Amino acid sequence: QVQLVESGGGLVQAGGSLRLSCAASGRTFSTYAMGWFRQAPGKEREFVAAITRSTYYADSVKGRFAISRDNTKNTVYLQMNSLKPEDTAVYYCARYNSGNVYATGSVGSWGQGTQVTVSS
């Protein structure tokens, strides 16, 4: 069973930046598509970004967030710039086991989540 451990969340003012990291256990990290989802209080978990051979972004974060990975470190990153109060949520790292990167149902493993709070 893979373990995904997120870090890098915190409190930031609107317009600021944060970088989330997700370290994965196991030897097959490079063979999996990875992604980030988020869940705000009272809302469903939603897709943020994914990386396969390409990168994919939710419209709400396109141009502000960037996903990347370092297969030598078994780590996926989410660089978040120009943060807005509506980006406040718990951010979850995800390892996919099927092809639709936008769907929570395609995720085989989740991290425990890291809180991101953006103040206005």
Side-chain angles (χ1 to χ4, degrees):
Q1 181 75 9
V2 67
Q3 286 190 318
L4 303 174
V5 180
E6 300 102 332
S7 61
L11 173 64
V12 64
Q13 288 188 329
S17 298
L18 284 174
R19 188 176 82 154
L20 305 183
S21 300
C22 171
S25 63
R27 301 179 180 180
T28 59
F29 175 79
S30 63
T31 66
Y32 286 90
M34 300 293 296
W36 292 92
F37 287 72
R38 67 186 181 186
Q39 189 166 18
K43 295 189 176 181
E44 293 188 351
R45 194 169 297 189
E46 65 176 8
F47 170 79
V48 175
I51 184 165
T52 60
R53 294 180 184 270
S54 300
T55 55
Y56 305 84
Y57 297 96
D59 287 344
S60 59
V61 307
K62 205 170 292 184
R64 300 187 298 121
F65 290 12
I67 188 171
S68 62
R69 66 192 298 164
D70 184 340
N71 290 334
T72 66
K73 297 182 178 179
N74 279 17
T75 300
V76 61
Y77 303 98
L78 185 68
Q79 178 67 44
M80 305 186 294
N81 300 324
S82 302
L83 282 160
K84 304 176 181 180
E86 51 264 43
D87 294 318
T88 295
V90 177
Y91 283 71
Y92 295 91
C93 179
R95 192 183 80 170
Y96 294 95
N97 62 7
S98 62
N100 181 0
V101 300
Y102 299 98
T104 57
S106 297
V107 175
S109 299
W110 295 98
Q112 83 285 353
T114 185
Q115 177 70 46
V116 172
T117 303
V118 184
S119 63
S120 57

